[in-house]
């Protein structure tokens, strides 16, 4: 709901996402902050930020697939991996520039995801989750067993830095800006997709597939499309990852990563692009602060030993996810919306 | 108010309607295991007519509805809509051909707002591809706004302006049914099937919905098939009534004819020993 005194006088205004001057200012400030960030923060924090931007693309894909279309997907890391490997192979074998290899990598992931999307046509819920785990296993199996000349097998792929007009993205700062630009474009696109007829079809299929069939929505195609878009986003994220790390290996895309992506979606809030971004930020921030805190805890309590402390970190992170599932299953975004609503209605209850 | 608005329906009009039928079911049979839900039922829905299907519990009304909307595939007989055979068409193709239906109970998208629900009804009329949705500003947004205008007209017709931004999950039953009707209207159907729209409503809500059904007929000039339990509603609204009992059609005619039909009285009230 809008704050008091804000009235839409046209349909353009009424469906706009940025509705008040305050939101506009906040968005501009966020952009400025993101642009000056690498000049203010140290190299480690810039690296974490780049990581977050790449994750954001992948998790937005998962949000569209899982939060909007309601198709549980435990294979998002595999889709990301397909994108990373395809990007890497295209860049190495065919010398494609990054602005071609990343989109093609996204398309490769989209095709891979689409195949698993077809299984979502007949399978729902837990069983679909199991099927998408198959994507994860299949990805590992294929990469390790295909001829080594294709995807490097267990050696992985090593990439040259991305280049454009003679400028190469070697430094941490330059790759940060590349990721920022791509992520901004993908976030913009995601807001467009979920507001269009496709986004409504996703939510409709998730809510009630019988009724959505009778609305003229092709349920089969919609579910497969959700997987296709989700996997495309994962593939783009994978492509960025390939150019960021400049080394692609299977153990960067495990089931464990997929589960973290799901955790980010849930903590942020299902069915909200902004929620996905918040989820990435929160989970990644907690993870990284644990990694930073770990050694100092070990230093404080040497009797515990490094093994115990680092194992406990995972337990603690798992605890956070469990707490979210119990106390705030609809995520931070839901809580934020409640707060915003009650603030705008104050002092009245409704 | 449920005033008696049904026009007198002469036999010649009935025949004319048969000739220009929009939706025809011919000798359909539907059995679930040993239970025969529909047995050799034939009905024809004429242009601009309100046909009501009534019958005691378990008479096969909803099964007939599901056959007519292409949801069930009858084991015998055929359903034709504007001349083309329904069985074998995917449900979304049937909808695109112009058949809309509302549900018994609520099959509404409860996580969406009223506007979004009705916009889903516009889905079949919208064309924007995923790439154009990705860029959004431009063709996609223009299309959204164009269809939003249509949706606003429906919202106005159904008098739900004040709740247009509310999630449907938070609305009462009567309003949900109204949104369901709006969603069906947004498809701009050439025939509307309504499965027990009045079930579980209080008198006031029933009166409202009856008024909207009449408004819709007036505004859209489309045939409506109504499955309903409430006799008052049916007798007041319907041009023609089909009565089912144990899967068979036992009577057909104007409300007045059906009320006097001994087979109908027997089905509803049983046989007395006079």
């Amino acid at each position: 709901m809008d704050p008091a005194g804000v009235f839409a006088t046209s349909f353009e205004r009424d469906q706009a996402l940025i509705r008040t001057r305050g939101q506009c200012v906040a968005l501009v400030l966020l952009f400025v902050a993101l642009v000056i960030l690498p000049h203010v923060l140290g190299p480690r924090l810039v690296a974490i930020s780049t990581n977050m931007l790449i994750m954001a693309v992948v998790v937005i894909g998962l949000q569209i697939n899982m939060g909007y279309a309601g198709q549980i997907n435990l294979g998002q890391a595999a889709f990301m991996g397909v994108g990373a490997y395809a990007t890497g192979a295209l860049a190495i074998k065919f010398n494609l520039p990054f602005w071609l290899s990343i989109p093609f990598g996204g398309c490769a992931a989209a095709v891979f995801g689409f195949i698993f999307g077809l299984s979502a046509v007949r399978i729902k819920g837990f069983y679909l989750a199991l099927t998408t785990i198959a994507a994860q296993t299949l990805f590992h199996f294929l990469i390790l067993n295909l001829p080594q000349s294709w995807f490097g097998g267990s050696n992985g792929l090593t990439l040259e830095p991305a280049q454009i007009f003679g400028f190469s993205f070697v430094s941490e700062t330059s790759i940060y800006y590349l990721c920022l630009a791509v992520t901004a474009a993908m976030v913009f696109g995601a807001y467009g997709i979920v507001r269009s007829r496709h986004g409504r079809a996703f939510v409709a299929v998730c809510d009630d597939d019988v009724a959505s069939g009778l609305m003229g929505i092709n349920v089969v195609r919609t579910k497969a499309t959700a997987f296709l878009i989700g996997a495309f986003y994962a593939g783009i994220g994978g492509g960025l990852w390939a150019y960021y790390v400049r080394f692609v290996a299977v153990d960067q895309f495990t089931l464990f990563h997929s589960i973290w992506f799901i955790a980010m979606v849930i903590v942020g809030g299902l069915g909200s692009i902004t929620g996905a971004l918040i989820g990435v930020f929160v989970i990644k921030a907690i993870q990284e602060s644990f990694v930073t805190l770990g050694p100092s805890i070990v230093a404080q309590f040497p009797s515990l030993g490094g093994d115990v402390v680092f194992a406990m970190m995972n337990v603690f992170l798992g605890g956070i996810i469990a707490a979210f599932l119990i106390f705030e299953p609809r995520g931070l975004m839901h809580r934020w919306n409640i707060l915003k609503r009650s603030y705008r209605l104050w002092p009245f209850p409704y | 108010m449920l005033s008696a608005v049904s026009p007198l329906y002469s036999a010649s009009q009935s025949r004319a309607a048969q000739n220009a039928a929009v939706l025809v079911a011919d000798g359909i049979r539907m059995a679930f295991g040993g239970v025969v839900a529909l047995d050799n039922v034939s009905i024809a829905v004429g242009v601009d007519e309100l046909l009501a299907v009534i019958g005691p519990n378990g008479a096969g009304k909803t099964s007939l509805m599901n056959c007519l909307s292409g949801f069930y595939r009858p084991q015998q007989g055929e359903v034709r809509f504007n001349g083309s055979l329904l069985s074998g068409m995917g449900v979304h193709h049937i909808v695109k051909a112009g058949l809309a239906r509302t549900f018994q109970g609520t099959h509404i998208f409860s996580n969406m707002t009223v506007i979004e629900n009705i916009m889903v009804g516009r889905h079949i009329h919208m064309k924007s591809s995923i790439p154009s949705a990705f860029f959004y500003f431009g063709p996609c947004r223009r299309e959204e706004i164009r269809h939003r205008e249509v949706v606003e007209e429906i919202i106005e017709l159904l008098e739900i302006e004040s709740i247009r931004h509310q999630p449907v999950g938070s609305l009462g039953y009567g309003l949900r049914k109204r949104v369901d009707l709006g969603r069906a209207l947004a498809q701009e159907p050439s025939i509307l099937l309504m499965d027990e729209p009045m079930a579980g409503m209080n008198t006031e809500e029933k009166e409202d919905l009856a008024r909207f059904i009449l408004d819709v007929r007036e505004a859209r000039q489309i045939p409506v098939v109504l499955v309903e339990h409430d006799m008052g509603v049916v007798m007041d609204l319907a041009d023609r009534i089909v009565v089912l009992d144990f899967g068979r059609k036992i009577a057909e005619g104007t409300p007045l004819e059906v009320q006097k039909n001994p087979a109908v009285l027997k089905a509803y009230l049983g046989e007395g020993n006079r």
Side-chain angles (χ1 to χ4, degrees):
Chain A
M1 64 169 286
D2 290 335
V6 175
F7 299 105
T9 48
S10 66
F11 292 136
E12 286 92 336
R13 277 300 309 136
D14 194 44
Q15 43 119 292
L17 284 176
I18 301 157
R19 312 180 72 85
T20 60
R21 195 177 294 271
Q23 286 168 339
C24 195
V25 170
L27 190 68
V28 171
L29 285 180
L30 176 70
F31 253 109
V32 171
L34 285 173
V35 169
I36 61 169
L37 184 138
H39 302 290
V40 183
L41 298 180
R44 183 170 145 65
L45 286 177
V46 176
I48 293 172
S49 310
T50 312
N51 229 311
M52 280 183 185
L53 289 174
I54 294 171
M55 297 265 167
V57 180
V58 179
V59 172
I60 284 170
L62 187 63
Q63 180 70 278
I64 292 174
N65 193 348
M66 210 175 104
Y68 284 86
Q71 308 298 309
I72 290 189
N73 178 3
L74 276 167
Q76 191 74 351
F79 299 155
M80 182 184 176
V82 171
Y85 267 97
T87 305
L90 287 168
I92 293 167
K93 301 252 153 44
F94 302 99
N95 275 322
L96 286 187
F98 77 92
W99 46 270
L100 277 179
S101 63
I102 291 179
F104 278 132
C107 293
V111 170
F112 190 68
F114 185 76
I115 296 168
F116 284 90
L118 291 178
S119 68
V121 170
R122 292 196 177 272
I123 311 170
K124 285 181 191 172
F126 293 123
Y127 305 99
L128 180 63
L130 275 175
T131 315
T132 52
I133 291 180
Q136 201 66 251
T137 340
L138 195 67
F139 164 70
H140 276 229
F141 180 81
L142 285 178
I143 293 297
L144 294 177
N145 288 292
L146 283 173
Q148 203 158 40
S149 58
W150 292 15
F151 296 110
S154 51
N155 292 338
L157 291 176
T158 309
L159 278 84
E160 292 298 309
Q163 281 192 325
I164 189 165
F165 304 129
F167 176 80
S168 57
F169 292 88
V170 185
S171 73
E172 194 71 65
T173 313
S174 63
I175 199 85
Y176 169 84
Y177 282 123
L178 175 67
C179 291
L180 179 62
V182 174
T183 307
M186 297 305 278
V187 170
F188 173 83
Y191 276 116
I193 289 173
V194 300
R195 281 195 288 167
S196 73
R197 74 187 186 110
H198 300 284
R200 280 193 300 270
F202 291 155
V203 182
V205 166
C206 173
D207 262 13
D208 191 326
D209 50 358
V210 174
S212 48
L214 280 164
M215 292 295 113
I217 294 168
N218 188 337
V219 177
V220 171
R221 199 160 67 192
T222 304
K223 283 183 178 175
T225 307
F227 264 92
L228 186 127
I229 294 177
F232 180 77
Y233 269 78
I236 296 288
L240 288 175
W241 174 267
Y243 278 111
Y244 168 52
V245 187
R246 280 193 268 136
F247 173 68
V248 185
V250 272
D251 57 357
Q252 293 163 339
F253 313 104
T254 59
L255 181 61
F256 198 60
H257 292 95
S258 288
I259 292 171
W260 275 118
F261 292 145
I262 289 190
M264 288 167 182
V265 170
I266 290 173
V267 168
L270 285 167
S272 158
I273 298 294
T274 320
L277 298 175
I278 291 172
V280 171
F281 179 77
V282 169
I283 293 280
K284 198 74 195 158
I286 296 173
Q287 268 179 338
E288 291 298 333
S289 50
F290 277 179
V291 171
T292 320
L293 280 178
S296 56
I297 295 176
V298 177
Q300 283 283 321
F301 307 98
S303 57
L304 280 176
D307 295 351
V308 178
V309 170
F310 286 106
M312 282 313 288
M313 268 160 45
N314 274 330
V315 172
F316 194 78
L317 271 168
I320 290 178
I321 308 291
F324 258 96
L325 285 175
I326 294 165
F327 297 111
E328 196 58 80
R330 293 165 78 180
L332 288 168
M333 208 53 208
H334 177 63
R335 183 57 45 189
W336 169 248
N337 283 334
I338 293 174
L339 274 177
K340 193 164 72 174
R341 192 182 155 80
S342 49
Y343 164 73
R344 282 176 177 172
L345 288 169
W346 190 86
F348 304 104
Y350 55 85
Chain B
M1 291 292 288
L2 292 183
S3 55
V5 287
S6 57
L8 285 175
Y9 205 84
S10 71
S12 65
Q13 269 177 314
S14 171
R15 230 170 288 124
Q18 295 268 346
N19 290 337
V22 179
L23 186 66
V24 185
D26 192 15
I28 52 176
R29 179 190 161 86
M30 189 80 214
F32 301 97
V35 182
V36 181
L38 294 171
D39 189 10
N40 195 23
V41 176
S42 304
I43 68 164
V45 189
V47 180
D48 194 19
E49 112 175 299
L50 202 157
L51 175 74
V53 177
I54 62 170
N57 284 330
K61 303 182 295 292
T62 298
S63 296
L64 178 65
M65 205 62 161
N66 285 337
C67 286
L68 289 180
S69 57
F71 230 61
Y72 289 169
R73 218 163 275 181
Q75 282 128 359
Q76 279 172 27
E78 55 181 37
V79 182
R80 283 181 182 276
F81 175 49
N82 280 334
S84 53
L85 208 59
L86 276 197
S87 55
M89 282 166 92
V91 172
H92 59 274
H93 288 298
I94 295 171
V95 175
K96 277 184 190 149
L99 186 143
R101 116 169 233 192
T102 66
F103 291 89
Q104 182 174 9
T106 51
H107 268 281
I108 206 111
F109 307 123
S110 47
N111 288 328
M112 293 192 199
T113 65
V114 171
I115 282 184
E116 283 168 336
N117 261 280
I118 304 178
M119 283 294 271
V120 172
R122 297 298 300 168
H123 186 85
I124 47 173
H125 298 287
M126 298 176 83
K127 300 276 181 303
S128 67
S129 62
I130 291 169
S132 86
F134 187 94
F135 295 110
Y136 196 71
F137 291 92
C140 183
R141 189 164 86 138
R142 280 200 295 278
E143 187 184 47
E144 287 282 314
I145 287 160
R146 209 166 54 238
H147 288 276
R148 175 71 191 276
E149 278 163 17
V150 180
V151 167
E152 287 294 334
E153 276 168 28
I154 292 166
I155 286 177
E156 205 178 316
L157 177 76
L158 298 178
E159 296 167 18
I160 45 179
E161 291 97 332
S162 60
I163 53 161
R164 57 158 81 84
H165 285 299
Q166 278 191 39
V168 174
S170 68
L171 299 177
Y173 189 72
L175 287 174
R176 285 189 203 199
K177 297 296 277 190
R178 237 189 268 182
V179 176
D180 194 8
L181 176 62
R183 207 174 53 169
L185 288 180
Q187 299 172 9
E188 290 176 26
S190 48
I191 185 167
L192 179 62
L193 311 183
M194 302 184 80
D195 193 359
E196 296 201 24
M198 316 273 180
M201 285 187 168
N202 61 32
T203 316
E204 199 180 336
E205 288 169 335
K206 278 180 189 173
E207 284 174 358
D208 278 344
L209 194 58
R211 183 161 55 85
F212 290 127
I213 292 171
L214 293 176
D215 284 351
V216 166
R217 283 194 69 197
E218 199 176 325
R220 297 290 177 91
Q221 309 277 323
I222 54 170
V224 179
V225 180
L226 190 73
V227 167
E228 189 46 66
H229 267 301
D230 190 304
M231 281 305 140
V233 171
V234 169
M235 294 302 162
D236 279 352
L237 292 184
D239 298 330
R240 201 154 59 90
I241 297 177
V242 167
V243 189
L244 295 180
D245 190 24
F246 290 113
R248 283 186 306 278
K249 185 164 86 174
I250 55 169
E252 184 175 2
T254 64
L256 279 176
E257 286 166 13
V258 165
Q259 274 171 353
K260 291 183 189 129
N261 190 315
V264 177
L265 291 175
K266 185 185 152 199
Y268 270 91
L269 303 173
E271 231 167 346
N273 311 324
R274 265 181 293 180

